[in-house]
Amino acid sequence: MTHPPATPLPHHTADGPEDAPPLLLGPSLGTSLAVWDPQLPSLARHHRVIRWDLPGHGGTPAGVLGPGSAPTTTVPGLARLVLGLADALGIDRFAYAGISLGGAVGAWLAADHPERIASLALLCSSARFGEPAGWHERAALVREAGLGPVADAAASRWFTPAFAGSPQARTLVAAVRRSVTPAGYAACCDALAAYDLRAGLARITAPTLVVAGRDDPATPPAHGRELADGITDARLLELCGAAHLANVERPDPVRDALLGHLATHPHHGSPAAAPGPGAPAPHPAEGTAQ
């Protein structure tokens, strides 16, 4: 008889060879693990790629944050969900890459649990995502009016005008209404409001790549420069023609940068554990919050 884990797990998928070094990928606010689709085939050739969904996003219910109709959370709380997932999969040390809020989770892990992070990539992320009041206002708006207002504005935050009408952009914007819950989105806004790692960047010792979109209105290039300046020996890549979801808008340069970073800083952490005897085989290598 199998028993659910003591700590709820986020929905996740696993791709790539089971015995390959593990790589965990974190998404941005308002997106699901599908935001990494452009880079997945290349990354999964030589890594066991574990993608996970934020609470109330994709396949992860907002309930992983705790009981109540308006759960709140913090970046450390999200990071504990990721560590719980890694532990459940038998992964002790792993490479990590994250976009925006997903990057903040990785930065916190690298600063506070350096023994777990072999290398780090922060895409369109920040050590502090602006004044807390703006995030609290957005959380209140979503809790009161639903996701319509933020979905309407998503394209202008995520993409340059030249890319906003593309099929890829339209698909991701439509998914905000379809696969994100107001409770989960608002709780993640609370996490962004409370996050400030500026004083902790010096604690990050993992080899770090920082990627910034030069046309990013949400985390402008100055945010990437602050990360790169604060993290010892971090490498900074600024991409022209890219806004907040740079890996979607400029998939090839981001792919090449990630592959180069991972190749320069290889590791041999524990691969994801295979399902135990009698356990149902997930498809495709998929797990769901308990």
Side-chain angles (χ1 to χ4, degrees):
M1 179 178 178
T2 59
H3 297 279
T7 301
L9 300 180
H11 172 261
H12 57 282
T13 61
D15 296 270
E18 291 185 358
D19 59 349
L23 167 64
L24 272 66
L25 301 179
S28 63
L29 175 68
T31 71
S32 73
L33 53 78
V35 73
W36 283 105
D37 282 352
Q39 286 75 41
L40 180 63
S42 297
L43 294 175
R45 286 195 183 101
H46 301 291
H47 289 83
R48 184 64 166 171
V49 179
I50 312 297
R51 295 179 294 165
W52 58 278
D53 280 330
L54 292 162
H57 292 60
T60 301
V64 301
L65 299 172
S69 59
T72 58
T73 195
T74 62
V75 167
L78 294 173
R80 284 189 285 272
L81 286 178
V82 172
L83 286 181
L85 173 60
D87 290 344
L89 295 175
I91 299 172
D92 57 356
R93 186 169 169 83
F94 51 90
Y96 186 95
I99 307 165
S100 193
L101 176 55
V105 170
W108 188 89
L109 285 171
D112 284 73
H113 292 274
E115 75 283 358
R116 304 298 296 270
I117 304 300
S119 68
L120 179 66
L122 306 175
L123 280 65
C124 301
S125 195
S126 183
R128 183 175 184 262
F129 293 83
E131 293 297 327
W135 292 110
H136 290 313
E137 290 170 4
R138 192 189 298 190
L141 173 64
V142 168
R143 287 179 173 125
E144 179 179 348
L147 288 163
V150 297
D152 291 341
S156 62
R157 289 194 305 270
W158 288 350
F159 308 112
T160 65
F163 191 80
S166 68
Q168 301 96 317
R170 291 198 301 269
T171 296
L172 286 170
V173 171
V176 177
R177 292 184 173 87
R178 186 181 66 252
S179 63
V180 181
T181 67
Y185 189 99
C188 289
C189 287
D190 292 334
L192 287 163
Y195 180 71
D196 188 347
L197 196 65
R198 289 175 294 179
L201 293 178
R203 300 201 308 271
I204 297 176
T205 57
T208 300
L209 168 69
V210 179
V211 177
R214 288 188 176 166
D215 298 308
D216 184 354
T219 51
H223 290 237
R225 293 171 199 148
E226 183 176 41
L227 288 170
D229 288 344
I231 300 171
T232 301
D233 295 330
R235 176 193 169 206
L236 173 63
L237 171 64
E238 293 187 10
L239 291 175
C240 61
H244 195 51
L245 296 186
N247 73 304
V248 176
E249 191 159 5
R250 297 292 311 279
D252 293 347
V254 171
R255 175 202 64 207
D256 293 346
L258 287 171
L259 290 175
H261 180 63
L262 291 166
T264 303
H265 305 286
H267 72 102
H268 302 285
S270 301
H283 179 75
E286 182 171 337
T288 307
Q290 304 295 317

